[in-house]
Amino acid sequence: MASLVFALLFQESVEWLLPSFALHFHDCFVQGCDASILLDDSSSIDSEKNAIHNFRSVRGYEVIDSVKSQLEGICPGVVSCADIVAVAARDASFAVGGPSWTVRLGRRDSTTASRSLAESNLPSFRDSLDRLISLFGSKGLSARDMVALSGSHTIGQAQCVTFRDRIYNNQSVIDAGFASTRRRQCPATGDNGNLAPLDLVTPNSFDNNYFKNLIQTKGLLESDQVLFNGGSTDTIVDEYSKNPSKFKSDFAAAMIKMTDPLTGSAGQIRRVCNILN
């Protein structure tokens, strides 16, 4: 069954597969890795899609829906949406040169969702280092796990509204040339949805340039740069900037460690990922 999921995901272009990476992370931080993020609003569901950290930011729902539809036609009621999201994250990493890891299948899909938990549990682009360490710690993840997982920002993009204050604040710890470059597509007011790559150097490759950028004070988000700003995680960032193999192995280990699924008789296996059976 794992090979079938992989085969169906492999048919998707990397452009559409990559957003599934963030989708998995945002799902796992709220109620565990249970596909709660996929549920739409209903009389009983307050969708996590509308949470401030997800709205118009998290993408990739179409990839999961496409794969789920095909699987239901082949083996109905067998593969959960949560399993598809987990495999898609692994495959997205591998597709752009990142690590692979063993994904144990058998997750069940949640019958609930929580916008309020999404807004309180997910890290914010304005979070301090202490706040990030605390949030990840509440999920059983160490500071090293947190830095490794933050390295996922080696790919993907961020909306102007999430980094505007950083590039226009003269007190920010930021490279002047980098700030100037980012201002070209992010005006001081308006165009909140304009996108910029989180890694200006190699935005579509899974490598350790993200950490090199932090050392050069070229982190796009405040929550990126706090990882290297005279704090307790500076040494980890420095290590990953010099040792890409260590970063990738720690990243894979943290992704496995992050898993907190529903199993057994809990939840359900949804027939359609965005609504309950």
Side-chain angles (χ1 to χ4, degrees):
M1 188 56 63
S3 60
L4 176 57
V5 176
F6 173 81
L8 292 174
L9 284 166
F10 190 75
Q11 296 174 13
E12 303 289 341
S13 69
V14 172
E15 178 184 359
W16 286 106
L17 188 58
L18 278 179
S20 303
F21 194 79
L23 187 65
H24 182 52
F25 177 86
H26 283 238
D27 179 42
C28 290
F29 254 61
V30 183
Q31 302 187 168
C33 308
D34 61 0
S36 60
I37 194 173
L38 303 180
L39 289 169
D40 289 338
D41 272 328
S42 71
S43 59
S44 62
I45 298 295
D46 189 10
S47 178
E48 294 168 23
K49 293 179 180 179
N50 298 322
I52 189 171
H53 304 308
N54 295 332
F55 185 63
R56 293 182 179 176
S57 175
V58 174
R59 298 177 295 129
Y61 302 112
E62 300 90 345
V63 173
I64 308 305
D65 290 342
S66 172
V67 172
K68 177 61 174 176
S69 176
Q70 294 176 71
L71 283 170
E72 285 298 298
I74 300 168
C75 45
V78 175
V79 183
S80 68
C81 301
D83 271 347
I84 298 170
V85 171
V87 175
R90 189 271 313 277
D91 292 353
S93 170
F94 186 72
V96 291
S100 184
W101 55 90
T102 299
V103 177
R104 297 181 63 184
L105 304 181
R107 295 167 183 78
R108 305 271 291 182
D109 297 324
S110 172
T111 56
T112 63
S114 177
R115 175 176 174 174
S116 62
L117 283 179
E119 295 190 339
S120 62
N121 285 9
L122 284 167
S124 165
F125 58 89
R126 290 195 177 97
D127 279 345
S128 67
L129 180 59
D130 287 345
R131 170 67 173 163
L132 290 172
I133 291 174
S134 175
L135 275 176
F136 280 75
S138 70
K139 306 300 178 184
L141 299 164
S142 67
R144 176 173 286 271
D145 294 328
M146 183 268 290
V147 175
L149 290 171
S150 296
S152 64
H153 284 183
T154 185
I155 55 176
Q157 301 185 86
Q159 297 184 73
C160 172
V161 68
T162 65
F163 60 86
R164 175 181 284 120
D165 288 348
R166 175 160 163 72
I167 62 175
Y168 284 99
N169 183 354
N170 292 330
Q171 303 304 312
S172 293
V173 178
I174 188 170
D175 177 85
F178 175 72
S180 178
T181 298
R182 292 278 60 91
R183 289 180 194 137
R184 294 172 191 168
Q185 296 298 321
C186 182
T189 58
D191 292 333
N192 287 345
N194 284 4
L195 298 174
L198 288 158
D199 173 7
L200 182 62
V201 183
T202 53
N204 297 314
S205 298
F206 195 105
D207 54 32
N208 67 334
N209 274 323
Y210 168 79
F211 300 105
K212 295 178 181 179
N213 293 339
L214 297 185
I215 291 173
Q216 296 170 9
T217 63
K218 295 179 180 179
L220 185 61
L221 307 179
E222 291 178 35
S223 56
D224 290 324
Q225 196 58 59
V226 295
L227 302 183
F228 191 86
N229 192 25
S232 60
T233 56
D234 281 14
T235 55
I236 304 172
V237 171
D238 184 63
E239 178 184 2
Y240 289 160
S241 75
K242 297 172 181 175
N243 192 336
S245 295
K246 179 59 174 171
F247 160 50
K248 290 183 178 181
S249 64
D250 282 0
F251 180 86
M255 287 296 287
I256 294 171
K257 189 175 177 181
M258 186 173 65
T259 299
D260 181 20
L262 290 175
T263 57
S265 60
Q268 62 183 213
I269 296 179
R270 293 185 215 136
R271 292 187 291 270
V272 180
C273 287
N274 64 329
I275 58 175
L276 301 178
N277 293 344

